[in-house]
Amino acid sequence: MSEIYHPPVLLDESISMLKAREGGIFVDATLGGGGHTEAILKANPKNRVIGIDRDEEAIERAIKRLEPYGDRVSIYHANFSQIGEVLEAEGIGEVNGVLFDLGVSHFHLRGERGFTVWKEQPLDMRMDRRQKLTARDVVNELSERELADVIFKYGQERFARKIAREIVRRRKEKPIETTTELAQIVEEVIPKKLWAGRKKHPAIKTFQAIRIFVNKEFEEIEKGIPSAAEFIKSGGRIVVITFHSLEDRLVKNILRSLQGFKVVTKKPIEPSPEEVRENPASRSAKLRAAEREE
Ligand SMILES: C[S@@+](CC[C@H](N)C(=O)[O-])C[C@H]1O[C@@H](n2cnc3c(N)ncnc32)[C@H](O)[C@@H]1O
């Protein structure tokens, strides 16, 4: 797997669902390494892309990668909930499509910000490092009740209350600073017979929950997709790729609720077995899309 680029997930499917070969202006709301953006630019020489990402390292990499495309690309360091401000700054009133490829990137997981349970790193988990709140703050400062609610709501972790209780007990001895310390606490709480010998680390759900909370991921989706919808031309599309069931359910409901749109993916599109073989990180991806009717 490439160390240089985040392998873009459901790439051909995204291009087709965006109708990017037909030409137009597109927003890549989650620019990341720029893989989807580059494919949109290649799909039609007339295409323009406005790329948004909240992670400045992603922005720096994307600027380098997309340099050959000159003024066909504009790049913004922003949250995608700010899509309205971004398009206003560009003087654009309507676009042909907006892509959201949600979640963390390959670079986040390989980086040093504590996104993965598998490496010992400081508990950070911020996608945007201008933000103040870190995973360390969440783990050490939320009340037991708040922590339990976060872990349950965003991780669907049935041991949420016990994990929260143990975190609070342990942080009284000393602050919890690293991914490994947090992962070990979760390991101690969840009965070994439920996870021993399996590939999935027992703390994955807890990590997912804290990451979603730190980055206000669901608030961003709840605001970002309807804001994007306001700029879609008639016949244009919103395409969203999700990576876990909670996120997928949220997106499915938002797409269904958009006034003047019809959902064009009766069932979500999933990666082919070949894609999953080449890029195991794609295995949980689901793509949904909605089209403006009027
Ligand atoms: C899965 S990666 C996108 C990968 C990209 N499609 C590619 O092909 O390289 C998701 C990216 O979205 C960014 N992101 C997540 N939530 C965001 C938000 N609310 N606003 C802006 N960017 C966000 C992350 O920083 C990350 O770089």
Side-chain angles (χ1 to χ4, degrees), residues 7 20 29 38 97 111 113 182 194 260:
E38 185 160 28
R113 290 187 227 168
L182 177 61
L194 298 180

Side-chain angles (χ1 to χ4, degrees), residues 30-36 53-54 78-80 101 103-104 108 127 220:
T30 51
L31 182 63
H36 284 93
D53 205 292
R54 57 158 99 163
N79 287 330
F80 58 57
D101 175 20
V104 287
H108 288 139
M127 290 183 187
E220 277 290 307

Side-chain angles (χ1 to χ4, degrees), residues 54-55 57 103-129 131 135 178-179 182 203-212 214-215 217:
R54 57 158 99 163
D55 179 341
E57 286 176 22
V104 287
S105 78
H106 178 69
F107 298 108
H108 288 139
L109 298 173
R110 287 182 183 232
E112 285 159 13
R113 290 187 227 168
F115 281 105
T116 164
V117 66
W118 300 108
K119 289 187 210 156
E120 171 137 41
Q121 290 174 346
L123 279 170
D124 184 331
M125 298 199 199
R126 287 169 303 170
M127 290 183 187
D128 185 343
R129 287 207 273 192
Q131 170 186 313
T178 70
T179 47
L182 177 61
I204 279 179
K205 290 180 177 176
T206 301
F207 271 58
Q208 170 186 302
I210 294 171
R211 190 199 88 208
I212 291 174
V214 166
N215 294 291
E217 291 182 28

Side-chain angles (χ1 to χ4, degrees), residues 5 31 33-34 37-38 41 59-75:
Y5 294 135
L31 182 63
T37 285
E38 185 160 28
L41 291 164
I59 294 284
E60 281 164 22
R61 266 190 305 266
I63 288 176
K64 270 198 203 129
R65 175 175 188 174
L66 300 168
E67 211 190 333
Y69 299 92
D71 60 8
R72 293 176 61 207
V73 203
S74 307
I75 295 179

Side-chain angles (χ1 to χ4, degrees), residues 9-28:
V9 170
L10 291 167
L11 190 60
D12 288 345
E13 295 84 347
S14 306
I15 297 301
S16 301
M17 289 313 280
L18 282 168
K19 301 199 261 187
R21 293 187 189 90
E22 295 175 20
I25 303 177
F26 296 88
V27 176
D28 184 346

